[in-house]
Amino acid sequence: MQTLTLTRATNLFSQHQHDRYLGLSNHRLCFLSVHPPSPPPLLASKRHRLKLAFVAKAADSTQPSSATTSAEKTLVPDDELTLAKVSFGVIGLGLGISLLSYGFGAYFSILPGSEWSALMLTYGFPLAVIGMALKYAELKPVPCLTYSDAQSLRETCATPILKQVRNDVIRFRYGDEQHLDEALKRIFQYGLGGGIPRRSAPVLQMIREEVTEDGKYCLVLVFEAKALKLSDFEKRQAKFTSFFGPGITAEVGKGESENLYEVRLISNTIPNVSSS
């Protein structure tokens, strides 16, 4: 009897411990299963769509301004091949040396055509001499930067003198010390009273065709002058206007580098009047 009672008490105690363990487990499981409510799928998709639409509109609003700026400041490539851009010194020197080389080779029976060797030597020698002389007196063209809007106004708004200046400095010249030598000599008065020494003369480095803010054609002359100051150009601004005129206004300014100075020759021709 006592054994049975002890057995039942042991079973009740075990059942009570098992129930407590299950209760704690259930509470623990309930605590771990609690999560914050997630937003409905519909709201999440709407939020992503709104964000993408806002980014797309912001990107579209910046495209017209950049496209307009690039269209206005597009450089025109200078890939036109003309006779003025060919060096006659290189042609004469190359042709003369070729004739001399082949003529000597044929004369000593190293190359075929010995019957033509005397003729090739006769013409090859003077061609080589003329080519060397032209190469020695050669003045290379300066770079020219042209914007697309300025190119469209050149034919209608640029004066004949501005067109001539542009054409003269972008081709090979022979016998001149520098580009625009005669113009600079009269403007800066080399060796005269109130002038500058010839060794201090400015040197043309490049030209640029652009359009001013009020829509006028402008030819910019970029000079390098290590011995001059901006004031030396400013006090001769009227002389630039009178020499490259009529029909233009000259403006003087500082260049991008320390020794560079810009002379802006602005045409007074209004594009609207010329086009009508």
Side-chain angles (χ1 to χ4, degrees):
M1 186 66 181
Q2 292 180 354
T3 303
L4 181 59
T5 303
L6 182 59
T7 302
R8 293 183 61 186
T10 304
N11 293 335
L12 289 174
F13 179 77
S14 301
Q15 184 68 27
H16 179 67
Q17 294 292 336
H18 181 65
D19 292 339
R20 289 182 63 187
Y21 175 76
L22 289 178
L24 291 174
S25 299
N26 291 335
H27 284 298
R28 187 177 303 165
L29 291 174
C30 290
F31 176 76
L32 293 176
S33 64
V34 175
H35 296 283
S38 59
L42 182 60
L43 292 178
S45 62
K46 286 184 177 180
R47 185 181 305 171
H48 286 292
R49 284 199 297 268
L50 290 175
K51 184 176 181 181
L52 290 175
F54 177 77
V55 173
K57 289 182 178 180
D60 293 338
S61 63
T62 59
Q63 288 177 357
S65 61
S66 61
T68 303
T69 304
S70 61
E72 293 178 353
K73 291 296 183 181
T74 303
L75 284 175
V76 179
D78 188 14
D79 52 1
E80 182 182 2
L81 182 60
T82 59
L83 190 61
K85 297 180 180 179
V86 178
S87 173
F88 293 104
V90 173
I91 295 177
L93 188 60
L95 185 59
I97 292 178
S98 300
L99 290 177
L100 285 175
S101 301
Y102 198 94
F104 277 113
Y107 179 78
F108 292 103
S109 301
I110 300 175
L111 297 173
S114 59
E115 63 275 9
W116 300 101
S117 62
L119 186 63
M120 287 186 286
L121 291 174
T122 302
Y123 287 99
F125 182 75
L127 281 176
V129 173
I130 294 174
M132 286 188 291
L134 290 176
K135 189 64 179 176
Y136 177 78
E138 180 181 88
L139 183 61
K140 295 182 179 180
V142 298
C144 177
L145 298 180
T146 303
Y147 292 101
S148 57
D149 51 355
Q151 185 185 30
S152 60
L153 293 179
R154 183 196 304 155
E155 295 299 327
T156 57
C157 297
T159 63
I161 294 180
L162 293 182
K163 294 178 182 179
Q164 181 181 355
V165 169
R166 177 189 177 274
N167 295 332
D168 286 344
V169 300
I170 62 173
R171 67 181 180 89
F172 284 93
R173 298 181 65 88
Y174 304 92
D176 295 337
E177 295 185 8
Q178 62 172 325
H179 292 286
L180 302 178
D181 188 36
E182 186 64 26
L184 296 176
K185 181 180 179 181
R186 295 186 180 182
I187 293 173
F188 287 93
Q189 297 179 347
Y190 299 153
L192 301 178
I196 64 173
R198 188 176 184 87
R199 62 178 179 273
S200 302
V203 179
L204 184 66
Q205 297 295 318
M206 64 172 293
I207 63 173
R208 186 172 68 248
E209 292 180 288
E210 60 186 19
V211 177
T212 60
E213 294 180 356
D214 52 355
K216 294 182 179 180
Y217 174 84
C218 178
L219 181 64
V220 184
L221 310 178
V222 182
F223 293 97
E224 180 183 14
K226 298 180 180 180
L228 300 181
K229 298 180 181 180
L230 181 59
S231 59
D232 296 326
F233 285 86
E234 289 177 343
K235 65 184 180 181
R236 294 174 174 86
Q237 182 172 337
K239 292 185 177 180
F240 278 103
T241 302
S242 61
F243 187 86
F244 292 103
I248 65 104
T249 301
E251 295 181 357
V252 176
K254 194 73 174 64
E256 298 179 355
S257 301
E258 180 179 359
N259 297 321
L260 294 183
Y261 303 92
E262 295 184 353
V263 178
R264 298 164 55 87
L265 306 177
I266 304 173
S267 174
N268 295 332
T269 305
I270 301 176
N272 294 334
V273 175
S274 62
S275 61
S276 60

